[in-house]
Every structure is written in C-alpha cells, then in structure tokens.
Amino acid sequence: MTFEISIPRLGWSMEEGTFVRWLKKDGDTVKPGEPLFELEGEKAAQDIEAVDGGVLRIPATAPKPGTVVAVGSIIGYLLAAGESGPTAVAPASASRLEAVEPVVTEPAPPAAPSVRRMARELGVSLASLAGSGPAGRITASDLKPNVMTRPAAQVATSTVASPRARRVAKELGVSWDNIAGTGRNGRVREQDVRSASAKTAARQPQTHSTGHLAGTAIPLTRHRRTTADRMSYSSQHTAPVTLTTRVDATNLVSLRQQFKSAGGNVVPSYTDIIIKLVSMALAEHPLLTAQWVGEQLTIPAVTNIGLAVDTEAGLLVPVIGDVTSLSLTEVTIESTRLIELARQGKLKAADMQDGVFTVTNLGAFGIDAFTPIINSPETAILGLGRIRREPSVVDNQIVPRDQMSVSLTFDHRIVDGAPAARFLQTLSQALETPAAWLLRATV
Amino acid sequence: MSVAESSPPSTSVALSLYRVMQIIRQTEEELARCHQRGLIHGACHTYVGEEAIATGVAAHLRPEDVVFSTHRGHGHALAKGMPPRELMAELFGRETGCSRGRGGSMHLFSPEIGMMGTSGIVGPCILQACGGGYSFKILKTDNVAVAFFGDGATNNGAFHEGLNMASIWNLPVLFICENNQYATEVPFSYAAGNTNVGERGPMYGMPSFTLDGNDVLEIHRVAGEAVERARSGEGPTLIECRTYRTRPHAEGMGDFGYRTREDVDSWKLKCPLVRLRQTVQEDDSPSLSAKFDAIDAEIAGVVKEAREFAEASPPPASETASNHVYAEPARAPAPPVPPATRSITMTQATQEALAEEMKVNPTIFVMGEGIGVRGGNFKTTAGLYELYGPERLCDTPICERGFVGLACGAGMTGTRPVIDFMFADFVLDSVGEIINQVAKMQYMSSGRLKMPVLLRGCIGIGHSAATHHSGNYYGMYAQVPGLRVVVPSNAADAKGLMKRALRCDDPVMFLEHREILTVKGPVPEGDYEIDFGKAAIARPGKDVTVVALARMVHLTLSVCDELEKAGISVEVVDPRTVSPLDVDTILKSVQKTGRLLVVDEAFGPCSIASEVAAHVADRGFNDLDAPIKRINGVFTPTPYSPSLEKAVVPNAEDIAQAIRDLVNE
C-alpha cells in the first residue's frame, strides 16, 4: 500500500512552510513514528514523524531543501516492499479547501474623513490628487483649487439641518438651505422647515401643488425659479417693515404735464422724476442704501437705483447707475433704454447688478398701496401707488387735488422705524415740491 | 483506599474493551494523517496512549448516563458510543459531524447517547457533571454523571468547588482524572504542590483511587464499583489514572521542547492495547490471537469507511451559521395581560411567579446562598422551603462559579435550575461558565441541547452598598449571543417576565434593581406572561423619546408632569429586556418625536445606551431632529459615602435638564 507524505500544518494558521531537508534517504525503510523530514513553520523548524511505515520514495519532482511548500502538498511516498510507486508528486489532496484569492482593490489614497467628505461634496476623486500631507495624505489645502472653482450657489449653502428637517423639506418640496434655523448654532429643524413651508404656501398657494389638486401644470422657467428663490430668500433673511404715506402729487402731475406740453424727444415719466427725487432723498438718508459686506454694514459710494419692470417673461429689475450724477434727462434716457431692453429680453446680467435701492410702480394697474419685498441685498424698496384726483381739504376748503400713496419697505435689521420714517418724510416733501427739488439738484 | 487484587476478566469483556480501544486508536491515527493532509481546519488533540481510561469507565455506562469531557475528548465520545464517522465529519467541518460542524475537535456533542459535550476550557466539565448528578437527584433516577479531565484541571478552582458540592450533596458523579503529566506542555510535577491527585478525595469526604491509567482491566474494575456506588445513592468517587499521551498536545505542535523522545518512546512501549492483548493472551492461544486480529481488521474497515463518509459529506450551508443560538422558535405573542387587582412589591411579584411555576413544574429547583430556610436575602424565595424542601430550595456554599457550572450541567440533563446570586456582582466569578458554557451550549450542540437556566440577582446603585454590591452588568451580558437579558422596572412586568423566563428554553439573566425591589405596583393575579423583546410605552408623549431602564424609568416618569406643564411632552420607552432589544418600538417613538434621550444607570462605553443610539442613528437617521443624547452613570467604581454615591448616579434633575436641552437643540 502506498502512503502519501504531505506537509502538515504546524500551529493554528500556517498555510505554507519551508522544506528544510529529508531525514531519511530514498529507499530507506521507515517505521511509523520515525523522524522523516524537517519542516520550518512559523515558529521554528521541526522534525516531522512518519505517520505510516514503508520504503521511502522521493520523486525527482519533490521539493528541494529550502523550497517553500504549501500545507497539504505531497512531497513523497511510503511504499510497501516491492512497490514501484509514482515518479512525480501529485497535487495536494483534492478535498482540501482551497485558499480564497484575496480581492485586490485599488488602495484609496490616505485622507482624513473630513477631507473625504469635502471631496465627495466637490465631486473630486481623491485618486486624482497628489497629497501634500505626511505619507502622501491628502489635506484640505490639496482640495483648495477645487474649492475655488466650486459654483457660487453651493458655497452659499452652509446652513446645517437635522436629518429630519432634510427629510421633511424633501417631502414638502422645499429647499432647506435658505431657511433660518432655530436650533443650536442655527441648525435648521423640522419646525423651521414646516413654518417656512407654511409661509410660502400662504403667500403663493398655487406655486406648490399638493399633488392632489387637478389642473394644468405651468412650465417652470428658470426666471420664475430665480425670482422665487430671491423672494423667499428675502422674506426669510430680512426683517421687513412697510411704511405707507399719502402725498399730494398735484405739483408732480403739473410738472409732468409741463414736460409733456414742452414736447421734445425726451419726456420724463412719473417714475423717472421720482427716481431722481429718491436719489436726492437718499443722499440725505444714506442708511437706507446700506448693505452687509461680510460682517460689516457698508454704505455704497454710488446710488444705483433699480426699477421694477413687468415683462412677458416676468419681473425684471434693471439698475440705473449713479443716479445722483445723472440729470433728469439722462435718467429718462437710461430708463427708457433699460425698459426697452427688458421688454425685448436683452438685459445683460450687468444691467441688473449693484442696485442700492429699488423703485416699483404698480400705479398703472390702479393699485393704491402695497407691501413690496426688499430686493436683497438691498435695504429698502419704494412702492408707488396710482395718482388720483381726490377731494382734499386745503385751508378748510374741499378742493380737488392729485393724491398718491407711497410704500417703503425697509429691513429693520439695518434701519429702525424712525430714520426710515424720516426718509419717507423727506421724500414726501420732494414729491410735493418736485420742481424746487429738481432745481436744487447739482446736475 | 487500597485496590483489591483483580480477578481474571472474562475473555469476552477483554475483547469488547480491546475493540473500543482499537476504535479510538485507529480513528485518532487516521485523524492525525488527515490533519497532516490539511483536511482538519482547526485544532486536533488526540487521545493516543490514553485509550484505556475512557474505555474502562464508559463500559459501565448506559446511554442515559452522561459524560462531560475536555478538549482531549475524542476518546470519550467514541467510548460513549459515537460512531467514528460522526467524529471525523465534525473535525472535517461537515454537516454530518456530531455537532453539525459548529464545534470541531474541542466541542463534540451527542446528547442522544449521553455525550454531553467536550469543552475547550479546562474545568467546567467537572461542574457540569455535578449538574448532571443534581438533575438525577431531582428526577429520582439512578443515572450517573462522569467528568473526564486532565491533571491540569485539578489545579483549577472548578475541581475544588465541584468535588465539594458533589460531596455535600452526595451526587452520583465519577470524577476521572486522566493524569498524562502535562497541562498542555507544563509538567504536573511543576504545577502541583501535591502531585498525588488520588490522595485528595478523602479531604472532600469521598472515596478516591490512584490507578495505572494504561491498565484497562483495572480501570474497568474500579470504575464499575464507583458506578455502582453512585447508582445506589452512595455518592461520588474520584479516580486518578496515571498515563501519558504519546502524540503532541495538538497535531502539528513540536513535542520535544518540553519532553524527550526517549520518554515518549518508553511510554509507547506501555501501550494499553498491547498490554491488554498480552495479559489476556498469556497462553498465546492462536484462536484468541485471531480474534484480536479480526478486531483490528474490522476497525480498519470502520475507520476507512468513516473517513470516506466524512470526506463525501457536504459542509453546512453558510446561511445556517446563526441557527441554534436560541432554542425558542418564533412563537405567537403572549395573550394580553389581565387587569391588575392589587398592589404588591416587585419581589412579591417574582416570588409569586416562582411559587406558581414550582408548583406545576417539579423539575424547577433553586440554588443560592441563603435561599433555603432563610427565604433569600431579599425574600426572593420566602415560604418556598417549607413547601418544597432542601433539594429544590438548595442553599449553596459560597462558590458562584461552582453552582453556575452545576446549573449548566443540570439544564442540559432535564431540570430547570434557578440560580439566585443575591448580588449580581458575586456572579462575576462565574462569568466564564455563563458566557463560555451556558450561553453557547445550545449552539454548539446544534440545538439538540436546551438550556432552561434562570440566573437572577440584584443590580443597581443605592444605600451605600459600595462597589461590590452595586454593579449593573446587563450591557455586558447583552453582548453574548445565546443569553436573554431581562431588566424589569415594575412589579407587574417582573411577574410576567419571570413567568416567561421560567418557561423559556433559553438561559435567562434576570437582573432586578435593588432600589426598586420594594416599590409596590398594580399586579394581576394568576397566570400571565410578558414576551421578551417587547418594550413598554411607560408614558406616551410627542416631543421627546426617553428610553430608560429599571430605576431610571421611575426617575424619568417623575419629571414628566412638570415638563408637560412647560410644554414638553415626553414619551418614555422601557425596553424591559435588553436582549432581545425592541429596537422597533424605539424607532417608532423617535419617528414621532424626532428626539431621543437614553437614560441608563450603567456605564456608557459599549452599553445598551450606545446600542440604542447606534440603531436609531442608523435606521432612524431621517427621523432625527436633534442629536441623540445619553445619560449614563459616571464611569467609576461605585463609591460608598452618600455624597460620592449620589454624584455617580443620574438623578431626576439631570434627566429633566437633558430633556429641556434636547428640545432646544
């Protein structure tokens, strides 16, 4: 009977060892228990005893001294007397469980979890970066160039929201990143999302469908989305207060009639006249133009005034630059140009930037007064109502006079009620005596 | 005690002993070959050279007698009647193995034939055999239990505790010490102050013998007498058999670092098989010689068939890896709890449950210090001794490891032990028995053994009990697969959970907070159960979920009304059992409230509180409106002085403040 001689496992975890040498020669008769060969395992070399007896047959293909051999591999045979036996070693016993090939994966470059998260958010593959930290570790500064190219919209979303708030925001179809959080360190919580959503719903019930109301969907334009975002941002990030006052516009109407009667290419509209007068009132109350720059309130050097224009595409607010330095005629020319561009959809982004104050006029629609929403990051906006001839008491006599309402919405975070009211007072005087004010203008 | 001259054995007895020894020898040698060929995945400790001992003792055993053994247990299993094919298949890691591939060389189970298991830990088999003996006493049978162990175990506390318990309770147990002179590779001559194990029996008050461990006939004779004594109520016997293993401690280990080849060779010449053959064949009868040869050939065939069977057997399916951790199949939920009719304390409630179950189940017995006549330090067994006597209300020596190990063996052999620790701190001496034996037994036996063992004791900080009477250990036990861990907070729950525990086939750790033992609460009369793994909503609410255990449930409830007035509605969830832990109910609550506070008197690291937090952070992430908060006991041993003690336990104001903070997160 032929017995296989195989490599045993020495200790718990040995998978291979070094075959040191045979302790018997080919052809020797070996008894069970006699040392047969020497094997070096994990700890030390050890004499391996024969578990069977017979004549040792060492095939030519048997491992040479110093060779690494796998546990279970057959290195020789013990034969009964007269048996010839195999001449080459057979593979290891088939039923031995094969070692599982380790799965080789590309090693991820070392980086701290915060850096990995930043990379994920930026959509940057860590493997594409060269690490400057110890042992090639990728640091936050290695990601910096990518941060610079990050879209501005994403940079702004630094708010933290609880997982539940994020979930609820998603369920309600609202964006949580513009919501002011009431939790610790401004964390947006479920109640913040729900109250923001309720406000939005109250303001624009038809803008977010519950999904149950049957109707025709209105294609959402990019412009609509932008306006929606800007309006919600303003309503959530400012503390708006609206003051309304009535002014006697009789002189304004008369002045405008004179311009019209005088003819010419350039006839100022009410709005043009009022914009010029607003710039002059703002010069006396510059706080109404203040803006946050970082953590600092700053009063802009020039008075650029935005003009709300209703177009087919929706509301647009082109900006007339440095109104203080423009004559009324120049204001008229500029506003006419911008309104035309707006109606044609040809306004450039630059035409709508850097406003410090906005004037919006709904008078043409028969509106008397309203509460305009501040055009962030500006501090105040002036809403003009319609001009109407009404009975008025002058010197104890009822006389017909042109009357008009003006509404000032201002950000109470920046301006208090009294200074805002004083601005409105100044403006009222200007509107009631426009010719005198315009004469006072330096240009 | 002297050994009488042996009378010549009958030839048929000699041949049957030889046959068993030959089964062991040839199976072991084949296993050694298989190990060399890499067919055995783990350790392989052979019994070569020691065959006479298992053979001589097991010859007297009936299938219902039980054997508890060690890491060198192949011979015991084979001598008790395990077919070689089941042993080989087990070592090959196959489905057809005696433990269905869950055990390997050191965990061989065949309860059907009284092979109650081998153990990778030295010592427990001695205590488990005592448990088998105690069961037979309760069940009033004449079965016997046998512990086989090596010389190494005699230096272990289990030897002392086990022999003492067997002696004082007169248990039908044989303690068979196989002194092969090395504990792994440490010589017994070095490790023992008195190397004569056979002298030690009388110190415990039991008969004791020292035998030649390679003389199967002598072992057979002495063991026969010991078994007779045990069956007839004369108690335990200690037998030391001096022998030698002629193969290494485990296959693949070097053998000549601690002993010499000459020593090994000299012991090979004392081979018990050769010796028996020579003794019987003094007349050199050719017919007898042929009978021995025929046995050799027959066994060679059996072993060859066994190996082929093992190699051809399939490995167990990977998806069954966690089968048999618990005995309990899925069961219908317990019927609703009936209305409470009177107010009693938590201790009265559990005593009532125990009394009712002991009345209907005669296999229940209680062990502990002072639980007999005295009725328990905390009146846990008040009045029961008078009804059920000293065997079922058994006062113990102070040997927690010993009687927990005993409970393990008793649970395996048909009785239902209730171990009353008094203080859970005391049981730390027996944690090895709980974790390595009690909790794993059902799994290792592939579900063929049940482990209906109830382990109960007090936990909790209060009344200056100081650090050895104050521990909360449920978090630690909840990390052990196989255990059920109950932490009741009120009397009604305690009764229902105790009833459940006394009918459960799994081991239950029932931990009662000492500071609420005498708190009265409404408790239904008569029979009802509360399922494990079902949390209670102790108070419904909508703003914050508080998960609290034991006394902390009471503290949390005490602040809820005031918080409610302040506009904070608190929902209190009491898991009641921490293993299994009812994560679903907690998640459902957090889904409602969005906020979670866990209040637990136990330490924070790796605790139930961290487990609850982890589950909610994972499965309830999108429900969280605030970070998860935990209040735990201060991470320190429990101090004595009241001023220090109160500083380490969460109090009501801590809880109220944490809830208020959580609402503002």
Side-chain angles (χ1 to χ4, degrees), chain B residues 562-630:
Chain B
E562 202 189 314
L563 289 166
E564 188 85 51
K565 281 183 210 144
I568 302 171
S569 162
V570 181
E571 176 147 308
V572 183
V573 180
D574 174 4
R576 303 195 283 201
T577 64
V578 295
S579 182
L581 180 65
D582 184 359
V583 177
D584 288 346
T585 297
I586 296 169
L587 285 169
K588 212 174 286 174
S589 177
V590 173
Q591 195 177 47
K592 182 165 58 166
T593 64
R595 290 177 165 72
L596 173 65
L597 171 69
V598 189
V599 185
D600 185 3
E601 185 179 292
F603 303 130
C606 309
S607 63
I608 298 302
S610 43
E611 177 70 3
V612 169
H615 276 293
V616 173
D618 176 2
R619 292 169 57 196
F621 184 72
N622 287 328
D623 292 325
L624 286 170
D625 209 16
I628 299 167
K629 297 289 179 185
R630 296 182 289 161

Side-chain angles (χ1 to χ4, degrees), chain B residues 326 350 400 403-404 407 416-439 442 451-459 471-488 494 497-498 500-502 504-513 532-533 549 576-580 608:
Chain B
Y326 296 98
T350 55
E400 274 74 13
F403 60 77
V404 171
R416 180 179 285 275
V418 174
I419 301 298
D420 192 327
F421 300 144
M422 199 176 334
F423 290 90
D425 308 80
F426 299 170
V427 83
L428 294 183
D429 276 358
S430 65
V431 163
E433 303 304 320
I434 296 172
I435 293 180
N436 265 325
Q437 309 296 329
V438 171
Q442 301 192 92
M451 190 49 60
V453 176
L454 172 57
L455 306 156
R456 71 182 298 193
C458 283
I459 54 167
N472 288 294
Y473 301 102
Y474 40 82
M476 176 178 90
Y477 293 116
Q479 292 184 328
V480 179
L483 290 180
R484 308 281 191 189
V485 185
V486 182
V487 189
L497 290 163
M498 176 63 86
R500 179 81 202 88
L502 287 167
C504 173
D505 278 340
D506 297 322
V508 179
M509 184 65 79
F510 199 95
L511 298 170
E512 301 146 277
H513 198 293
F532 297 154
L549 287 165
R576 303 195 283 201
T577 64
V578 295
S579 182
I608 298 302

Side-chain angles (χ1 to χ4, degrees), chain B residues 19 22-24 26-27 294-304:
Chain B
R19 188 171 179 280
Q22 194 61 257
I23 288 173
I24 299 172
Q26 291 200 28
T27 303
I295 288 172
D296 293 355
E298 178 217 337
I299 302 307
V302 167
V303 170
K304 180 169 179 289

